């Protein structure tokens, strides 16, 4: 197969994802859509990792004196979309967790400062350093670290958390109560 340009890059990404994640039960990656050359342009990633998916009383989030313990889920579903111009600098891969099924049924999505939990952008993942030279496999692995709370940025300073409300919870309740250490 003599692939050039974008298709060659898509093949390299696909191979790297296979090398790092094939055979693992906790992170399962599969292509969902392919272009005319048969190269993946959308991936689905199942994370079978116990992580925080919300808090007990989200309506009381940030209220003084109200303890808000975390809720947990054991699996999360990520979608990676590669725009037509990928891997150009101005067309990065989009990483987002699904927050609802096709029928509108809510799906648990991560409660993490670098993943949007609230609003119409819910599920959007901020990788901070993702560029046209960064591999998709790197992004998938970094998100695994997010889910395990091995990596997060909750302080309200550059590069800024993706979700300020979740970040405030992490600083005010998650860390002091050691709820993020599981």
């Amino acid at each position: 197969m003599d692939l050039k340009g974008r298709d060659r890059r898509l093949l390299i990404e696909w191979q790297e994802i296979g090398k790092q994640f094939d055979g693992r039960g906790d992170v399962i990656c599969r292509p969902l859509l392919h272009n005319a050359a048969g190269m993946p342009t959308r991936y689905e990633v199942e994370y079978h990792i116990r992580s925080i998916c919300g808090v007990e009383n989200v309506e009381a989030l940030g209220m003084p004196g109200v303890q808000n313990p975390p809720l947990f889920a054991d699996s999360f579903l990520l979608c990676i979309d590669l725009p037509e111009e990928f891997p150009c600098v101005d067309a990065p891969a989009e990483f987002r967790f699904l927050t609802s099924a096709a029928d509108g049924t809510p799906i648990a999505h991560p409660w993490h400062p670098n993943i949007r939990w609230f609003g119409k952008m819910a599920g959007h993942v901020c990788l901070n350093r993702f560029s046209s030279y960064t591999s998709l496999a790197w992004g998938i692995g970094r998100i695994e670290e997010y889910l395990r709370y091995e990596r997060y940025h909750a302080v309200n300073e550059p590069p800024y958390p993706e979700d300020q409300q979740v970040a405030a919870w992490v600083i005010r309740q998650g860390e002091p109560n050691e709820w993020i250490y599981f």
Side-chain angles (χ1 to χ4, degrees):
M1 185 182 308
D2 187 30
L3 298 172
K4 293 184 171 52
R6 180 175 192 259
D7 288 332
R8 182 162 175 70
R9 172 68 184 267
L10 293 174
L11 176 62
I12 291 168
E13 295 287 356
W14 192 7
Q15 291 170 333
E16 185 63 29
I17 289 170
K19 279 185 213 169
Q20 288 192 36
F21 299 102
D22 280 357
R24 287 186 53 180
D26 59 342
V27 181
I28 301 166
C29 307
R30 48 181 168 272
L32 288 183
L33 292 177
H34 297 80
N35 66 13
M39 297 298 108
T41 58
R42 175 179 286 162
Y43 289 89
E44 177 181 82
V45 182
E46 290 180 37
Y47 289 95
H48 296 283
I49 297 170
R50 183 175 187 266
S51 190
I52 302 172
C53 67
V55 293
E56 284 185 3
N57 190 357
V58 74
E59 293 80 22
L61 191 64
M63 288 184 173
V66 176
Q67 288 295 301
N68 226 331
L71 301 173
F72 289 86
D74 293 321
S75 64
F76 301 92
L77 193 57
L78 178 81
C79 185
I80 303 171
D81 282 310
L82 307 177
E84 275 297 316
E85 299 80 18
F86 176 85
C88 291
V89 171
D90 58 349
E94 179 189 344
F95 293 76
R96 64 182 166 77
F97 281 92
L98 298 183
T99 60
S100 62
D103 65 1
T105 305
I107 297 174
H109 59 286
W111 178 268
H112 188 281
N114 303 106
I115 302 168
R116 184 71 59 98
W117 201 87
F118 292 98
K120 69 180 196 175
M121 293 290 293
H124 179 264
V125 179
C126 178
L127 293 170
N128 292 332
R129 296 188 315 194
F130 196 82
S131 72
S132 60
Y133 299 107
T134 309
S135 75
L136 298 177
W138 175 88
I140 294 166
R142 186 173 181 99
I143 292 168
E144 178 183 2
E145 292 174 352
Y146 285 1
L147 293 175
R148 297 183 193 283
Y149 268 82
E150 294 169 357
R151 177 182 301 273
Y152 63 90
H153 182 78
V155 179
N156 194 19
E157 61 186 34
Y160 298 105
E162 179 67 21
D163 196 303
Q164 295 289 330
Q165 293 177 75
V166 175
W169 176 89
V170 166
I171 290 170
R172 293 182 190 136
Q173 293 196 20
E175 290 175 340
N177 292 306
E178 298 185 359
W179 290 333
I180 61 168
Y181 310 112
F182 48 89

